[in-house]
């Protein structure tokens, strides 16, 4: 007897080779070979008939796209922990499962958060530029003085798995951990971290603010002028979550005036078309959304999706199912 045909799937971006190899063994896979960022209409056209749609945070999976791919579409698998780019209500309404990649990227994201904290506090961009451009006049007692981390309050907005992985690393640098979260953590998860029920209350204590809360429609623009003005003068802002949580005008004007000492940003509103003013500010350290960008992490993210889809096909509910 002939083997049943493989289910159809569409891969919207190029995934690391080990993941693509596994996907090709399981699906009749159509691939967006040039790795371009496709608009929903283009995905609707190219993914027609697919039962699984693989996306990343760069693809907007809106109601129109979900409707267009229904009824053949059974699952959307995103190579990201964030799922603010997917209309979950529409997926639910059309009976489509949605899987993501929590946990396996927490350590990698926490590493990038610490890289941004260190580079913002210790003026990494200016230091690199000075050496690279041949403008280093030699060691000087007053050169590139930054902010030390020992004893500083690291205030984490969003104390989920990534937030806690950041806290673990920051403790080793001698920082005091404070956090604001929808819910207070258990005593075991909280450890010595101080919980603030009010965001403004936490901001008032921050030497360094790290934004690690998930992106969402409600979170958009929530770190605005009013909230930034709660930070003590000379605070540092780091964002590894979603760029649109921060109001760019407010952050840029606080960086220009020096009220905020520096920022470290891995994520931006409207990526990759970031607000161009960031490019010329010497007190920002910029990285291009590389929180989870290690080989091991991206492979683990791929495996998590593959295992989850395998479970779903056997009628089981995987732990990384959102809808
Ligand atoms: C995530 O996993 O959500 C990262 O931001 C990459 O998209």
């Amino acid at each position: 007897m002939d083997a049943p045909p493989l289910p159809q799937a569409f891969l919207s971006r190029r995934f690391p080779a080990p993941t693509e190899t596994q996907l090709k063994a399981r699906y009749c896979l159509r691939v967006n070979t040039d790795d371009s960022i496709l608009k929903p209409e283009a995905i609707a056209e190219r993914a027609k008939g697919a039962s699984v749609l693989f996306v990343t945070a760069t693809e907007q999976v809106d109601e129109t796209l979900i409707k267009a791919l229904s009824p053949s579409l059974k699952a959307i698998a995103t190579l990201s922990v964030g799922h603010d780019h997917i209309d979950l209500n529409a997926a639910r309404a059309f009976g489509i499962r949605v899987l993501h990649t929590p946990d396996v990227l927490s350590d990698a994201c926490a590493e990038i958060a610490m890289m941004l904290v260190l580079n913002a506090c210790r003026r990494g961009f200016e230091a690199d530029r000075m050496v690279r451009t041949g403008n280093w006049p030699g060691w000087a007692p007053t050169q590139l003085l930054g902010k030390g981390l020992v004893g500083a309050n690291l205030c984490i907005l969003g104390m989920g798995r990534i937030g806690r992985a950041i806290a673990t690393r920051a403790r080793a640098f001698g920082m005091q951990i404070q956090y604001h979260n929808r819910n207070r953590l258990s005593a075991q998860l909280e450890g010595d971290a101080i919980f603030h029920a009010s965001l403004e209350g936490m901001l008032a204590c921050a030497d360094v603010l790290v934004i690690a809360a998930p992106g969402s429609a409600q979170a958009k623009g929530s770190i605005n002028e009013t909230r930034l003005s709660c930070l003590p003068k000379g605070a540092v802002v780091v964002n590894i979550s979603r760029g649109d949580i921060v109001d760019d005008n407010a952050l840029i004007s606080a960086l220009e005036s020096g009220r905020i000492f520096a920022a470290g940003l891995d994520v931006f509103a409207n990526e990759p078309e970031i607000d161009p003013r960031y490019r010329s500010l010497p007190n920002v350290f910029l990285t291009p959304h590389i929180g989870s960008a290690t080989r091991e992490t991206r492979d683990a993210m791929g495996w998590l999706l593959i295992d989850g889809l395998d479970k779903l096909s056997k009628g089981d509910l995987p732990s990384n199912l959102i809808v």
Side-chain angles (χ1 to χ4, degrees):
M1 217 171 73
D2 287 346
L6 293 175
Q8 299 264 340
F10 183 70
L11 187 59
S12 311
R13 299 297 305 274
R14 299 308 305 265
F15 283 12
T19 303
E20 286 197 0
T21 303
Q22 292 298 327
L23 293 180
K24 283 178 183 151
R26 287 165 169 77
Y27 298 98
C28 175
L29 193 69
R30 272 169 280 158
V31 181
N32 175 24
T33 44
D34 68 8
D35 201 28
S36 54
I37 298 176
L38 297 174
K39 295 240 179 322
E41 311 83 68
I43 299 177
E45 187 61 35
R46 295 174 64 171
K48 238 181 206 100
S51 60
V52 182
L53 173 65
F54 292 95
V55 295
T56 72
T58 57
E59 286 70 53
Q60 290 305 315
V61 185
D62 58 17
E63 187 179 2
T64 312
L65 172 56
I66 289 173
K67 204 168 174 180
L69 295 180
S70 168
S72 66
L73 190 65
K74 303 291 174 238
I76 299 164
T78 183
L79 195 80
S80 63
V81 64
H83 46 73
D84 51 312
H85 53 294
I86 302 175
D87 185 334
L88 298 182
N89 288 331
R92 225 174 261 119
F94 284 89
I96 294 164
R97 298 297 202 174
V98 181
L99 297 98
H100 71 147
T101 62
D103 291 322
V104 292
L105 44 57
S106 301
D107 288 333
C109 291
E111 287 168 4
I112 287 296
M114 289 312 296
M115 179 172 105
L116 297 175
V117 168
L118 285 162
N119 276 288
C121 288
R122 299 298 305 273
R123 306 176 65 174
F125 167 70
E126 292 166 279
D128 180 283
R129 183 179 61 177
M130 186 181 277
V131 178
R132 207 178 283 275
T133 57
N135 282 312
W136 183 29
W139 189 90
T142 57
Q143 191 174 77
L144 289 176
L145 303 184
K147 273 170 85 80
L149 302 191
V150 176
N153 285 331
L154 181 82
C155 290
I156 302 176
L157 171 55
M159 197 64 154
R161 291 166 279 225
I162 295 174
R164 298 199 297 275
I166 296 167
T168 301
R169 285 154 182 79
R171 285 184 182 104
F173 281 92
M175 302 186 87
Q176 308 290 315
I177 313 301
Q178 318 215 4
Y179 73 99
H180 171 73
N181 208 34
R182 239 175 321 167
N183 301 308
R184 185 169 181 171
L185 300 180
S186 67
Q188 196 201 351
L189 290 180
E190 188 176 83
D192 60 0
I194 297 166
F195 173 66
H196 291 263
S198 122
L199 171 56
E200 287 75 11
M202 178 185 78
L203 294 174
C205 306
D207 294 308
V208 179
L209 167 69
V210 175
I211 302 165
S216 67
Q218 305 84 275
K220 242 183 207 173
S222 57
I223 301 302
N224 53 20
E225 191 181 348
T226 312
R227 297 242 166 79
L228 287 173
S229 72
C230 297
L231 292 167
K233 182 167 166 25
V236 162
V237 174
V238 164
N239 190 4
I240 59 150
S241 171
R242 287 291 179 264
D244 62 10
I245 293 179
V246 172
D247 175 338
D248 284 334
N249 282 330
L251 179 59
I252 288 167
S253 93
L255 285 162
E256 282 170 347
S257 72
R259 230 194 65 70
I260 287 184
F261 177 73
L265 305 174
D266 185 49
V267 288
F268 305 86
N270 199 28
E271 293 175 10
E273 306 305 326
I274 72 167
D275 190 313
R277 293 171 293 173
Y278 283 124
R279 297 196 184 103
S280 48
L281 281 169
N283 51 348
V284 288
F285 186 82
L286 306 171
T287 51
H289 203 148
I290 55 169
S292 63
T294 69
R295 271 187 205 293
E296 316 82 70
T297 303
R298 291 279 161 82
D299 287 347
M301 292 164 76
W303 272 115
L304 195 56
L305 295 182
I306 291 165
D307 287 344
L309 289 163
D310 284 353
K311 280 207 173 88
L312 269 185
S313 69
K314 291 182 189 130
D316 297 330
L317 293 183
S319 60
N320 58 327
L321 196 63
I322 316 170
V323 167

